[in-house]
Amino acid sequence: MRWLLAPDSYKGSLEAAAVAEAMQRGIERADPQAECLLRPMADGGEGTQDALYAAVGGQWLQFPVCNATGGTIMAPCLLLPDGTAVLEVARIIGLPEAGDSPVAQRSSRGVGQMLAALLQSGQRRIAVALGGSSTNDGGAACLAALGLQLLNAQGQRLDGALQDLSQLFTLDADGLLQAFADVELEIWSDVDNPLSGPRGATAVFGPQKGVAAADIARIDGEITHFAQLLDARLQRDTRHLPGSGAAGGLGYAMLLLGGRMQSGAQAVARHLGLAAALQRVDWVFSGEGRSDSQTLAGKAPACVAALARAAGVPVSLLSGAVIADEQGALAGSFDGCYSLCNRPMSLDRAMQEAPQRLAQLAEQVARTILAARAAA
């Protein structure tokens, strides 16, 4: 049989490429003559660059930028063979690296610095993978790095971190958009939330970044004030657009610069040539660390399943954990949903044993498929 292996990463345990390789080992134990096509996936969050590089290659570029807490790092950017420069926000201002630093002090400035460096190096086709950010500054610091002037009542310049927005009195956006006039800017995200309000960046995603419940309304108001000033200055209404609340408001900044919002998983699938690959296979395996009802809201396995369905190819889900929804929507989207954990165990042990367990699970599912096909 011919198999397409297109999983996302098992976060904290295995990169997507390692997940696909473990699946391949199991399949080949069941079917030594199997043809396996590995297409590790991502949805615009952590691991997007690595998944693309594993599948299609490219050239790594590096630039010195600020991380979320102000330290200087050498951040990677992947230049794909088709000329698209892929910037991964998680590798610049990612949540794990921010540690216990107060969210008010974190800044998206490094993303703006990376964009400026790419423009300076002549890149004119840029994709920004938004997932995994640790910041909640409405994209203010990112835009400040690109020329936006944020001023307090005394006319002093602000850096744009969340803690600065309470002092914001006025701003100067002259020339902010000119550098992006001839740039094709893609925004990869699976989030459609607006910048502010009950479904906004702060209310929905702020708590997981360290925003206290008592501070949500105040911070949301400060970000709204910033966006109202900037939208008015540029005569736009960007803060209400779907996806403007992604990555703590970086979605707002990217949309303001003329970016085009699209599903991160679908964008990765397109660059991987997943639709064409599906024409050459008999079965598909996908998966992720944990699958539940949220999987169907634009996550990589759901994207793979939709493409497989369109191509008439069966697709099974092999995930670390599978949490069924009452409506059965998850189960109905796949030809079998399988979990690595077949008995009670700690999360640490499950993560440590993931490669072996995944290979065993892939082998058993493959044996079942092969037996059913032989009997048909």
Side-chain angles (χ1 to χ4, degrees), residues 106-108 135-143 148 160-162 165 195-196 201-202 209 219 222-224 226-227 230 239 244-254 256:
R106 299 177 200 161
S107 164
S108 62
T135 60
N136 195 81
D137 61 9
C142 169
L143 294 174
L148 176 66
L162 177 56
L165 297 185
L195 178 63
S196 55
T202 306
K209 299 178 182 184
I219 292 172
E222 293 169 355
I223 290 176
T224 299
F226 155 68
L230 187 51
R239 66 188 184 278
S244 56
L250 269 172
Y252 169 74
M254 298 301 104
L256 198 77

Short mmCIF file of all heavy atoms in Angstrom, two decimals, residues 106-108 135-143 148 160-162 165 195-196 201-202 209 219 222-224 226-227 230 239 244-254 256:
data_model
loop_
_atom_site.label_atom_id
_atom_site.label_comp_id
_atom_site.label_asym_id
_atom_site.label_seq_id
_atom_site.Cartn_x
_atom_site.Cartn_y
_atom_site.Cartn_z
N ARG A 106 6.44 42.28 28.37
CA ARG A 106 6.82 41.59 27.14
C ARG A 106 6.48 42.45 25.92
O ARG A 106 5.53 43.22 25.93
CB ARG A 106 6.11 40.24 27.04
CG ARG A 106 6.45 39.29 28.16
CD ARG A 106 5.66 38.01 28.05
NE ARG A 106 5.61 37.29 29.32
CZ ARG A 106 4.74 36.37 29.63
NH1 ARG A 106 3.80 36.04 28.73
NH2 ARG A 106 4.76 35.77 30.79
N SER A 107 7.26 42.24 24.87
CA SER A 107 7.15 43.11 23.69
C SER A 107 7.23 42.31 22.40
O SER A 107 7.99 41.34 22.30
CB SER A 107 8.29 44.15 23.73
OG SER A 107 8.47 44.76 22.48
N SER A 108 6.45 42.72 21.42
CA SER A 108 6.51 42.09 20.09
C SER A 108 7.50 42.79 19.17
O SER A 108 7.48 42.56 17.95
CB SER A 108 5.10 42.11 19.46
OG SER A 108 4.64 43.43 19.28
N THR A 135 3.18 37.46 23.87
CA THR A 135 2.90 38.88 24.08
C THR A 135 1.42 39.20 23.96
O THR A 135 0.66 38.45 23.36
CB THR A 135 3.69 39.74 23.08
OG1 THR A 135 3.30 39.38 21.74
CG2 THR A 135 5.18 39.53 23.24
N ASN A 136 1.05 40.34 24.51
CA ASN A 136 -0.35 40.80 24.45
C ASN A 136 -0.36 42.33 24.35
O ASN A 136 -1.07 43.01 25.06
CB ASN A 136 -1.10 40.35 25.71
CG ASN A 136 -2.60 40.46 25.57
OD1 ASN A 136 -3.24 39.60 25.00
ND2 ASN A 136 -3.18 41.54 26.08
N ASP A 137 0.46 42.85 23.44
CA ASP A 137 0.61 44.31 23.32
C ASP A 137 -0.13 44.91 22.13
O ASP A 137 0.10 46.04 21.74
CB ASP A 137 2.08 44.71 23.27
CG ASP A 137 2.84 44.13 22.07
OD1 ASP A 137 2.18 43.54 21.19
OD2 ASP A 137 4.07 44.26 22.03
N GLY A 138 -1.02 44.11 21.51
CA GLY A 138 -1.77 44.62 20.38
C GLY A 138 -0.93 44.83 19.13
O GLY A 138 -1.40 45.45 18.17
N GLY A 139 0.30 44.32 19.14
CA GLY A 139 1.20 44.52 18.01
C GLY A 139 1.84 45.89 18.01
O GLY A 139 2.54 46.26 17.05
N ALA A 140 1.66 46.66 19.08
CA ALA A 140 2.18 48.03 19.13
C ALA A 140 3.70 48.07 19.02
O ALA A 140 4.26 48.88 18.27
CB ALA A 140 1.72 48.70 20.43
N ALA A 141 4.38 47.20 19.76
CA ALA A 141 5.84 47.22 19.73
C ALA A 141 6.37 46.77 18.38
O ALA A 141 7.40 47.27 17.90
CB ALA A 141 6.40 46.34 20.85
N CYS A 142 5.69 45.81 17.76
CA CYS A 142 6.08 45.37 16.41
C CYS A 142 6.03 46.54 15.44
O CYS A 142 6.96 46.78 14.67
CB CYS A 142 5.15 44.24 15.95
SG CYS A 142 5.30 43.80 14.22
N LEU A 143 4.93 47.29 15.48
CA LEU A 143 4.78 48.43 14.58
C LEU A 143 5.76 49.55 14.93
O LEU A 143 6.23 50.27 14.04
CB LEU A 143 3.34 48.94 14.63
CG LEU A 143 2.29 47.97 14.08
CD1 LEU A 143 0.88 48.51 14.32
CD2 LEU A 143 2.52 47.70 12.60
N LEU A 148 6.40 53.27 13.55
CA LEU A 148 5.31 53.93 14.24
C LEU A 148 5.84 54.61 15.49
O LEU A 148 6.57 54.01 16.27
CB LEU A 148 4.24 52.90 14.63
CG LEU A 148 3.06 53.42 15.44
CD1 LEU A 148 2.21 54.39 14.63
CD2 LEU A 148 2.20 52.27 15.95
N GLY A 160 6.30 50.53 23.27
CA GLY A 160 5.16 49.78 22.75
C GLY A 160 4.84 48.49 23.48
O GLY A 160 3.91 47.78 23.08
N ALA A 161 5.58 48.17 24.54
CA ALA A 161 5.21 47.00 25.35
C ALA A 161 3.85 47.27 26.00
O ALA A 161 3.39 48.42 26.06
CB ALA A 161 6.27 46.73 26.41
N LEU A 162 3.21 46.22 26.48
CA LEU A 162 1.88 46.36 27.06
C LEU A 162 1.85 47.43 28.15
O LEU A 162 0.90 48.21 28.23
CB LEU A 162 1.42 45.01 27.61
CG LEU A 162 0.07 44.97 28.31
CD1 LEU A 162 -1.03 45.49 27.39
CD2 LEU A 162 -0.24 43.56 28.78
N LEU A 165 1.17 51.10 27.01
CA LEU A 165 -0.07 51.55 26.38
C LEU A 165 -0.94 52.38 27.31
O LEU A 165 -1.76 53.18 26.84
CB LEU A 165 -0.85 50.34 25.86
CG LEU A 165 -0.15 49.53 24.76
CD1 LEU A 165 -1.08 48.43 24.23
CD2 LEU A 165 0.31 50.42 23.62
N LEU A 195 -9.65 42.02 17.66
CA LEU A 195 -8.60 42.50 18.56
C LEU A 195 -9.08 42.64 20.00
O LEU A 195 -8.38 42.25 20.94
CB LEU A 195 -8.06 43.85 18.06
CG LEU A 195 -6.99 44.51 18.93
CD1 LEU A 195 -5.75 43.63 19.00
CD2 LEU A 195 -6.65 45.88 18.39
N SER A 196 -10.28 43.20 20.20
CA SER A 196 -10.73 43.48 21.56
C SER A 196 -12.18 43.05 21.74
O SER A 196 -12.83 42.57 20.81
CB SER A 196 -10.57 44.98 21.86
OG SER A 196 -11.23 45.76 20.89
N ALA A 201 -8.30 39.43 21.92
CA ALA A 201 -7.01 38.83 22.29
C ALA A 201 -6.84 38.70 23.80
O ALA A 201 -6.42 37.66 24.30
CB ALA A 201 -5.88 39.67 21.70
N THR A 202 -7.16 39.76 24.54
CA THR A 202 -6.94 39.75 25.98
C THR A 202 -7.91 38.84 26.71
O THR A 202 -7.51 38.04 27.56
CB THR A 202 -7.04 41.18 26.53
OG1 THR A 202 -6.16 42.04 25.80
CG2 THR A 202 -6.66 41.22 28.00
N LYS A 209 -1.35 33.58 28.98
CA LYS A 209 -0.06 34.27 28.89
C LYS A 209 0.30 34.97 30.20
O LYS A 209 1.37 35.57 30.29
CB LYS A 209 -0.09 35.29 27.75
CG LYS A 209 -0.34 34.65 26.39
CD LYS A 209 -0.40 35.69 25.28
CE LYS A 209 -0.71 35.02 23.95
NZ LYS A 209 -0.69 35.97 22.82
N ILE A 219 -6.77 46.16 30.49
CA ILE A 219 -5.83 45.95 29.39
C ILE A 219 -6.55 45.98 28.05
O ILE A 219 -6.06 46.56 27.07
CB ILE A 219 -5.08 44.62 29.59
CG1 ILE A 219 -4.15 44.73 30.80
CG2 ILE A 219 -4.31 44.24 28.34
CD1 ILE A 219 -3.50 43.41 31.20
N GLU A 222 -7.02 49.51 27.10
CA GLU A 222 -5.80 50.18 26.65
C GLU A 222 -5.46 49.79 25.20
O GLU A 222 -5.05 50.63 24.40
CB GLU A 222 -4.65 49.83 27.60
CG GLU A 222 -4.83 50.43 28.99
CD GLU A 222 -3.85 49.88 30.01
OE1 GLU A 222 -3.07 48.95 29.66
OE2 GLU A 222 -3.86 50.36 31.15
N ILE A 223 -5.63 48.52 24.89
CA ILE A 223 -5.36 48.06 23.52
C ILE A 223 -6.38 48.65 22.55
O ILE A 223 -6.04 49.06 21.43
CB ILE A 223 -5.36 46.52 23.46
CG1 ILE A 223 -4.12 45.98 24.19
CG2 ILE A 223 -5.39 46.03 22.02
CD1 ILE A 223 -4.07 44.47 24.29
N THR A 224 -7.64 48.74 22.99
CA THR A 224 -8.68 49.35 22.15
C THR A 224 -8.35 50.81 21.87
O THR A 224 -8.49 51.29 20.73
CB THR A 224 -10.05 49.25 22.84
OG1 THR A 224 -10.37 47.88 23.04
CG2 THR A 224 -11.13 49.91 22.01
N PHE A 226 -5.37 52.25 21.82
CA PHE A 226 -4.25 52.27 20.86
C PHE A 226 -4.76 52.04 19.44
O PHE A 226 -4.43 52.80 18.51
CB PHE A 226 -3.23 51.21 21.25
CG PHE A 226 -2.39 50.72 20.11
CD1 PHE A 226 -1.45 51.55 19.50
CD2 PHE A 226 -2.53 49.41 19.62
CE1 PHE A 226 -0.68 51.10 18.43
CE2 PHE A 226 -1.76 48.96 18.58
CZ PHE A 226 -0.84 49.81 17.97
N ALA A 227 -5.59 51.03 19.25
CA ALA A 227 -6.07 50.68 17.91
C ALA A 227 -7.02 51.75 17.36
O ALA A 227 -7.01 52.02 16.15
CB ALA A 227 -6.75 49.32 17.94
N LEU A 230 -4.81 54.53 16.04
CA LEU A 230 -4.08 54.17 14.82
C LEU A 230 -5.04 54.00 13.64
O LEU A 230 -4.74 54.46 12.53
CB LEU A 230 -3.28 52.88 15.06
CG LEU A 230 -2.33 52.46 13.93
CD1 LEU A 230 -1.42 53.59 13.51
CD2 LEU A 230 -1.51 51.25 14.37
N ARG A 239 -9.25 46.95 13.50
CA ARG A 239 -9.35 46.25 14.80
C ARG A 239 -10.54 45.31 14.89
O ARG A 239 -10.57 44.44 15.75
CB ARG A 239 -9.39 47.27 15.94
CG ARG A 239 -10.63 48.14 15.98
CD ARG A 239 -10.48 49.23 17.03
NE ARG A 239 -11.68 50.04 17.19
CZ ARG A 239 -12.00 51.06 16.39
NH1 ARG A 239 -11.23 51.35 15.35
NH2 ARG A 239 -13.10 51.76 16.61
N SER A 244 -7.70 39.70 13.84
CA SER A 244 -6.88 40.80 14.38
C SER A 244 -6.46 40.53 15.82
O SER A 244 -5.48 41.09 16.31
CB SER A 244 -7.64 42.12 14.29
OG SER A 244 -8.89 42.05 14.96
N GLY A 245 -7.18 39.64 16.51
CA GLY A 245 -6.81 39.30 17.88
C GLY A 245 -5.81 38.17 18.00
O GLY A 245 -5.43 37.78 19.11
N ALA A 246 -5.35 37.62 16.88
CA ALA A 246 -4.38 36.52 16.93
C ALA A 246 -3.04 37.01 17.49
O ALA A 246 -2.64 38.14 17.28
CB ALA A 246 -4.17 35.96 15.52
N ALA A 247 -2.37 36.12 18.22
CA ALA A 247 -1.03 36.37 18.75
C ALA A 247 -0.96 37.66 19.56
O ALA A 247 -0.05 38.47 19.40
CB ALA A 247 -0.01 36.41 17.61
N GLY A 248 -1.93 37.85 20.44
CA GLY A 248 -1.92 39.01 21.32
C GLY A 248 -2.07 40.33 20.59
O GLY A 248 -1.67 41.38 21.10
N GLY A 249 -2.67 40.28 19.40
CA GLY A 249 -2.87 41.49 18.63
C GLY A 249 -1.90 41.67 17.49
O GLY A 249 -2.00 42.63 16.72
N LEU A 250 -0.95 40.75 17.35
CA LEU A 250 -0.06 40.82 16.18
C LEU A 250 -0.84 40.65 14.88
O LEU A 250 -0.45 41.17 13.83
CB LEU A 250 1.03 39.75 16.27
CG LEU A 250 2.33 40.17 16.95
CD1 LEU A 250 3.24 38.96 17.15
CD2 LEU A 250 3.04 41.24 16.16
N GLY A 251 -1.97 39.93 14.96
CA GLY A 251 -2.83 39.82 13.79
C GLY A 251 -3.30 41.20 13.33
O GLY A 251 -3.35 41.48 12.12
N TYR A 252 -3.62 42.06 14.28
CA TYR A 252 -4.02 43.44 13.97
C TYR A 252 -2.90 44.17 13.23
O TYR A 252 -3.12 44.81 12.19
CB TYR A 252 -4.38 44.18 15.25
CG TYR A 252 -4.54 45.67 15.08
CD1 TYR A 252 -5.66 46.20 14.45
CD2 TYR A 252 -3.58 46.55 15.56
CE1 TYR A 252 -5.81 47.57 14.29
CE2 TYR A 252 -3.71 47.92 15.41
CZ TYR A 252 -4.83 48.43 14.77
OH TYR A 252 -4.97 49.78 14.60
N ALA A 253 -1.68 44.06 13.76
CA ALA A 253 -0.54 44.74 13.14
C ALA A 253 -0.30 44.24 11.72
O ALA A 253 -0.06 45.04 10.80
CB ALA A 253 0.71 44.54 13.99
N MET A 254 -0.38 42.93 11.52
CA MET A 254 -0.12 42.37 10.19
C MET A 254 -1.22 42.76 9.20
O MET A 254 -0.95 43.07 8.04
CB MET A 254 0.00 40.85 10.26
CG MET A 254 1.17 40.33 11.11
SD MET A 254 2.79 40.88 10.55
CE MET A 254 3.12 42.16 11.80
N LEU A 256 -3.00 45.47 9.39
CA LEU A 256 -2.82 46.89 9.14
C LEU A 256 -1.76 47.13 8.06
O LEU A 256 -1.86 48.07 7.27
CB LEU A 256 -2.41 47.58 10.44
CG LEU A 256 -2.57 49.09 10.46
CD1 LEU A 256 -4.03 49.46 10.66
CD2 LEU A 256 -1.73 49.70 11.56
#
